[in-house]
Structure formats: structure tokens, C-alpha cells
Amino acid sequence: MSEDNVGDNLAAATSEASLAASQRRSLKIEADLVAHPERWRVLTGDRPTGELHIGHYFGSLANRVRLQNLGVETWVLSADYQVITDRDGVGPIRERVYSAVANYLACGIDPERAVIFTHSAIPALNQLLLPFLSLVTDAELKRNPTVKAEHEATGGRPMSGLLLTYPVHQAADILFCKAHLVPVGKDQLPHLEQARVIARRFDERYGRSTPDTPVFPQPEALLSEAMNILGTDGTKMSKSKGNTIEIGMDADATARLIKKAVTDSDRHISYDPARRPEVSNLLLLAALTTGGDPEAIAEGIGDGGGGALKAYVTEAVNTFFAPIRARRAELLADPGYLEQVLAAGNAKANVVAEATLDEVRTAMRMKY
Ligand code: ATP
Ligand code: MG
């Protein structure tokens, strides 16, 4: 592929045909993950811009735990440098990172099997940005649909250089540990395509450290079903919107928030995500937390109205998260242990990052 085509290919990554191809590929990968989990290394991460919420749990954390438990090597990044892409300060970042680590462990990430690490502790990962930035053009970055979307979300704030280049940083996150697989929603396919482009261009432009194998494998997307948990205001639950139910909240706070969640005026409860998004979202939460079926739950509540629905959801969510919350509280009571887990993850990530950077220097003839 010529370099001129790459921008078009990034855009094409979201086209219908390529979406269908990505979906087919994801199904194949899912089958292979079960048959040969040892072949795959997965990277996932979160920006520590706020507390993880139940949308994160059902949209991504539960899947990470599932992959780990299949035997897939799992890397989990707390992307602390990415906090400053669209805001002036870092906020209470240390607390947020350790709170995220406590959430990961409480939800079932096993620090013996998974590597939990932070950007800022891995110098060699960040150094990959320099050669990687030489492989992309400013026009390509400005066209990137994810950069555009993130920028729009900042409400017209001028774009920082770090926001503009964040797909390149994310490519470094994926490629430093040679992850084969990144679980994403379809909106993030262009990102992954950028990482694939960088891997390929590095090979074309700078060569290899060994004759047979490119330094970077081509990472693949594992497309997840778009799960979109709504917050208490009826829009997508997001840590920056103040509409979340945090994983770490207690039962009373959860009850208060669900009580004031937006619903509609029809007393008869029915599952109809297109026409009744708020009521259907509560039914979905009830289904996810009880293992039930949203339509059957709706039938059971019938004319009981929003009050009965909210009581049901509150009980279901609190029962489901009670053991996770108890475990989280235990973990937070032992900060020394959380520090130890993160230090061990960072140490492992540093070994791998330095080995990759060494290969990069060899390929670039910069080994002195
Ligand atoms: P921010 O407000 O900073 O954008 P956020 O709460 O939207 O934070 P992200 O860090 O943007 O969280 O999301 C990380 C990942 O978590 C997403 O890619 C998605 O997989 C999952 N996720 C986030 N919010 C939801 C949600 N409401 N429903 C389902 N999945 C979600
Ligand atoms: Mg978001």
C-alpha cells in the first residue's frame, strides 16, 4: 500500500464492508482464543480520569477477566500520560490509579497472570513515540476519526499536541509489548488501523533486528458487541459526565442514584431499547446482574411502574457487586499490597519495553 492511501484506509476501517470483515475475523479469533489461548497476548487500558463505573465493568472489565481466565496473556494499562491530553492538570491521579488497580483485582484480574502497569513508569515505551512519530503525517492525524471525536468531546478547546498524537502513543502501548489483540468497539477500529500502519511502515522504512521477523507484529481488533450502558441522566455513562454508578460505591449511594435515574412516564414496564432507552437500560442492568432476560424481567414488573423497576435494579446491582465491593474495600485497606502489585507489573513491563527498544535500535542502526 502506498503511504498516500493510508489516510483513506484509516477512514475505510469504519466502512460497512471492512466492519463486516472485522466482525468475521473477530469470530474466528474468538474460536482460536478458546482452542489456543497461549497464542494470544491482549492489551487493554483505561485513562485514570475518574473512577471506573458499572459501564466499564460490563463494557470491558468483565471481558478482560474472561480472556485472562481462558489463559490469554493479559496486559492492563493505566494510561496516566493520556490524562493530560485534554485537561490542564492531572487531578488526584495517584489515588485514581490505585483505585483502578483495586477495581481490576476486585473484578478478577489476577496479578500473578496479568501485567498491570502505568505509562509514566515505562520510559522505553514512551521512547517508541519518537520513531513512531516519524512514520505518520500531521494530515493523517488530523483526519483520524477518533482524534476528531475526542476533540469534539472537549467542547472546542484547542487541541493539544498530545491529543493530536494520541493514536501514536496508543500504538506504542500496543506494540511495545507486541500485543496481538486489542478488544475494541467499532468506533476504535481506526486506532488499531493506525497501530497496524505504524508496525508495517516501521518494517518498510527501518528494517528488522533479525532477518526473518518484523520487529512489530500486526495487532488485531477483537470487536466487542457494542454494549452501551446509560448513566443516571439517560446518556452514555461516562466518568467525566457525573452520571455514573461507580464500581466502588456503597449500596446506599447506589440506591440513591438509581432512584433519581431518568425514566419515562409510561407505568407499564417494557423492554424497547429504541423507543424507551432509559427504562430498557435499567432492565438491561437488571438482566446483566441477575443473569436473567430483560424482557422476562419487564413482564414480571408489568404495571408496577418505575418505582418497582428501580427497586428491582437496585437490589440486583447491589447483590451482584457486593462481593466485588467487599474485596475492593479489603484491597484499599492494604495500600502496600496495591503498590507492590503495580511495582511488579511495571517491572515486568519495563523488561519487555527495554527488549523491544533494543530491537528498534538495532533495526535503526542506533545501537552504540
Ligand atoms: P471519559 O468520560 O474520560 O471518556 P469513560 O467513562 O467514557 O471516560 P473511557 O475511558 O472512555 O470511559 O472508556 C473505556 C472503555 O470502557 C470503552 O472503550 C468501553 O469499552 C468501556 N465503556 C466506557 N463507558 C461505557 C459504557 N457506558 N457502557 C459500556 N462500556 C463502556
Ligand atoms: Mg469515553
Side-chain angles (χ1 to χ4, degrees):
M1 169 178 53
S2 89
E3 303 214 344
D4 294 345
N5 288 335
V6 168
D8 296 338
N9 281 339
L10 291 184
T14 48
S15 77
E16 288 298 313
S18 79
L19 181 60
S22 297
Q23 275 160 341
R24 281 195 300 276
R25 179 72 191 132
S26 282
L27 283 176
K28 270 200 186 139
I29 292 172
E30 276 291 353
D32 200 58
L33 286 171
V34 175
H36 301 287
E38 73 290 347
R39 287 186 188 160
W40 298 92
R41 177 177 300 146
V42 169
L43 176 101
T44 58
D46 305 286
R47 290 202 305 162
T49 49
E51 289 295 319
L52 293 173
H53 50 71
I54 63 176
H56 288 124
Y57 182 85
F58 292 110
S60 110
L61 286 178
N63 193 40
R64 296 179 195 177
V65 174
R66 178 184 73 91
L67 294 172
Q68 167 199 273
N69 292 344
L70 282 175
V72 175
E73 194 181 311
T74 304
W75 290 59
V76 183
L77 166 65
S78 185
D80 54 356
Y81 270 144
Q82 287 301 324
V83 169
I84 49 175
T85 48
D86 60 356
R87 54 202 78 201
D88 297 319
V90 289
I93 194 157
R94 197 169 187 281
E95 291 72 14
R96 283 177 178 162
V97 167
Y98 284 114
S99 177
V101 175
N103 278 326
Y104 296 149
L105 302 185
C107 291
I109 297 289
D110 172 2
E112 297 297 320
R113 286 183 283 170
V115 183
I116 304 174
F117 66 107
T118 47
H119 269 149
S120 59
I122 322 296
L125 180 163
N126 295 298
Q127 193 171 330
L128 291 179
L129 268 178
L130 290 172
F132 286 4
L133 283 169
S134 76
L135 298 168
V136 296
T137 65
D138 67 327
E140 217 166 86
L141 291 171
K142 285 177 188 151
R143 278 202 299 271
N144 183 299
T146 333
V147 169
K148 280 191 188 161
E150 290 288 328
H151 186 229
E152 276 157 22
T154 67
R157 185 191 164 103
M159 197 184 310
S160 71
L162 194 60
L163 178 53
L164 181 66
T165 55
Y166 103 100
V168 185
H169 202 185
Q170 205 174 57
D173 299 339
I174 297 166
L175 297 176
F176 94 94
C177 65
K178 304 190 178 183
H180 310 105
L181 201 58
V182 186
V184 292
K186 67 175 187 239
D187 54 320
Q188 290 163 338
L189 284 174
H191 259 196
L192 203 70
E193 185 54 24
Q194 183 72 75
R196 293 166 62 83
V197 163
I198 288 173
R200 192 166 51 233
R201 284 188 191 158
F202 185 90
D203 197 45
E204 287 162 5
R205 192 177 298 178
Y206 297 120
R208 301 178 176 186
S209 56
T210 55
D212 306 331
T213 324
V215 174
F216 300 108
Q218 292 267 304
E220 299 205 63
L222 184 65
L223 261 183
S224 42
E225 286 269 315
M227 168 96 64
N228 189 16
I229 303 293
L230 305 183
T232 50
D233 61 354
T235 72
K236 182 174 182 266
M237 190 177 285
S238 265
K239 48 181 143 61
S240 50
K241 283 202 220 149
N243 66 354
T244 66
I245 296 170
E246 294 167 12
I247 293 172
M249 270 172 178
D250 65 24
D252 288 345
T254 302
R256 277 197 301 277
L257 286 170
I258 294 177
K259 201 165 192 177
K260 70 170 201 185
V262 175
T263 50
D264 55 44
S265 55
D266 187 348
R267 269 195 72 77
H268 183 76
I269 298 303
S270 59
Y271 186 65
D272 185 351
R275 267 178 293 178
R276 304 187 70 186
E278 300 93 352
V279 163
S280 301
N281 180 61
L282 289 173
L283 288 163
L284 176 64
L285 279 176
L288 288 167
T289 48
T290 58
D293 169 64
E295 277 161 9
I297 295 169
E299 253 168 57
I301 298 170
D303 290 324
L309 171 62
K310 287 178 177 180
Y312 190 100
V313 176
T314 300
E315 172 67 20
V317 167
N318 279 338
T319 303
F320 181 87
F321 282 102
I324 290 175
R325 288 167 167 174
R327 174 93 186 107
R328 179 186 143 83
E330 273 171 32
L331 288 159
L332 286 174
D334 188 357
Y337 175 68
L338 294 176
E339 283 169 18
Q340 211 181 306
V341 165
L342 192 53
N346 282 336
K348 277 189 213 161
N350 267 314
V351 170
V352 169
E354 275 157 28
T356 302
L357 185 60
D358 197 62
E359 287 180 58
V360 163
R361 289 191 179 116
T362 302
M364 295 179 79
R365 295 164 196 78
M366 289 180 175
K367 213 161 143 60
Y368 311 112

